[in-house]
Amino acid sequence: MKRNKLYAIVLCLLATAVSASTQDNDYSFLTFQYGGIQQSVALSSLKKITFSGGKLIATTTEGSESFELSTMEKMFFSSTPTAVSAPSVREGELTWDAASQTIHANGGNGSAVLNVYFMNGATALRTTVPAEGATVSLASLPQGIYIVKMNRQTLKINRK
């Protein structure tokens, strides 16, 4: 029942985007919020949205992004993308696992420094991630919003 409701919401959002594009609103991005992360997809590159195995799959001209429906908090249209986007899983990148309160980091070609900042800019955690990768727990940090940086990637996470 919950899944059918989510499907209906997604279809309503897409219908809204199509009708809004003919009005004064200039929506260019569809933003997904899940696990405390926001990720925007340009509507101009969006080819289709499908559902499979409890996931929403957004297929774009650049590839596909999948989102667990169980962690999906909301979707919305905007004229600008979110300032911090969630990563796809690639070498040298970060992913946030809200369920385990951990960051999965891969150092890429060599070791990399992972920095976690409080919203006031103070450093909450700093660690070196080896090329083969590491899992860094944030469970000991207070609940709140954090900025995570490694190499040229930035994540905004909400540790609940």
Side-chain angles (χ1 to χ4, degrees), residues 5-46:
K5 184 177 178 182
L6 186 58
Y7 293 159
I9 291 169
V10 169
L11 291 175
C12 288
L13 283 171
L14 292 174
T16 302
V18 170
S19 66
S21 65
T22 62
Q23 298 173 0
D24 292 336
N25 298 330
D26 184 26
Y27 296 125
S28 301
F29 298 91
L30 176 58
T31 300
F32 301 94
Q33 183 172 326
Y34 59 97
I37 300 172
Q38 288 185 353
Q39 180 174 357
S40 294
V41 174
L43 291 176
S44 62
S45 71
L46 187 62

Side-chain angles (χ1 to χ4, degrees), residues 111-114 126-130 134:
S111 64
V113 176
L114 178 122
R126 181 182 176 107
T127 189
T128 301
V129 176

Side-chain angles (χ1 to χ4, degrees), residues 3-160:
R3 184 177 290 168
N4 290 339
K5 184 177 178 182
L6 186 58
Y7 293 159
I9 291 169
V10 169
L11 291 175
C12 288
L13 283 171
L14 292 174
T16 302
V18 170
S19 66
S21 65
T22 62
Q23 298 173 0
D24 292 336
N25 298 330
D26 184 26
Y27 296 125
S28 301
F29 298 91
L30 176 58
T31 300
F32 301 94
Q33 183 172 326
Y34 59 97
I37 300 172
Q38 288 185 353
Q39 180 174 357
S40 294
V41 174
L43 291 176
S44 62
S45 71
L46 187 62
K47 294 170 96 175
K48 66 180 177 176
I49 292 179
T50 56
F51 299 92
S52 178
K55 295 181 180 182
L56 179 149
I57 302 162
T59 304
T60 67
T61 55
E62 292 84 32
S64 295
E65 296 286 341
S66 64
F67 306 94
E68 290 286 337
L69 292 175
S70 62
T71 62
M72 186 73 66
E73 295 166 6
K74 67 180 176 178
M75 293 173 34
F76 57 93
F77 295 97
S78 67
S79 57
T80 58
T82 183
V84 181
S85 64
S88 57
V89 180
R90 290 187 294 238
E91 189 173 316
E93 291 198 1
L94 306 168
T95 57
W96 166 245
D97 184 345
S100 66
Q101 299 292 295
T102 58
I103 298 169
H104 303 285
N106 184 321
N109 295 332
S111 64
V113 176
L114 178 122
N115 291 294
V116 180
Y117 300 100
F118 293 105
M119 288 306 294
N120 67 3
T123 302
L125 181 96
R126 181 182 176 107
T127 189
T128 301
V129 176
E132 61 273 9
T135 299
V136 179
S137 175
L138 299 187
S140 64
L141 296 176
Q143 291 183 352
I145 298 174
Y146 294 88
I147 301 296
V148 180
K149 290 186 176 187
M150 187 180 81
N151 296 335
R152 285 184 250 150
Q153 185 176 5
T154 303
L155 288 178
K156 176 179 136 186
I157 60 171
N158 186 358
R159 199 182 98 55
K160 297 179 182 182

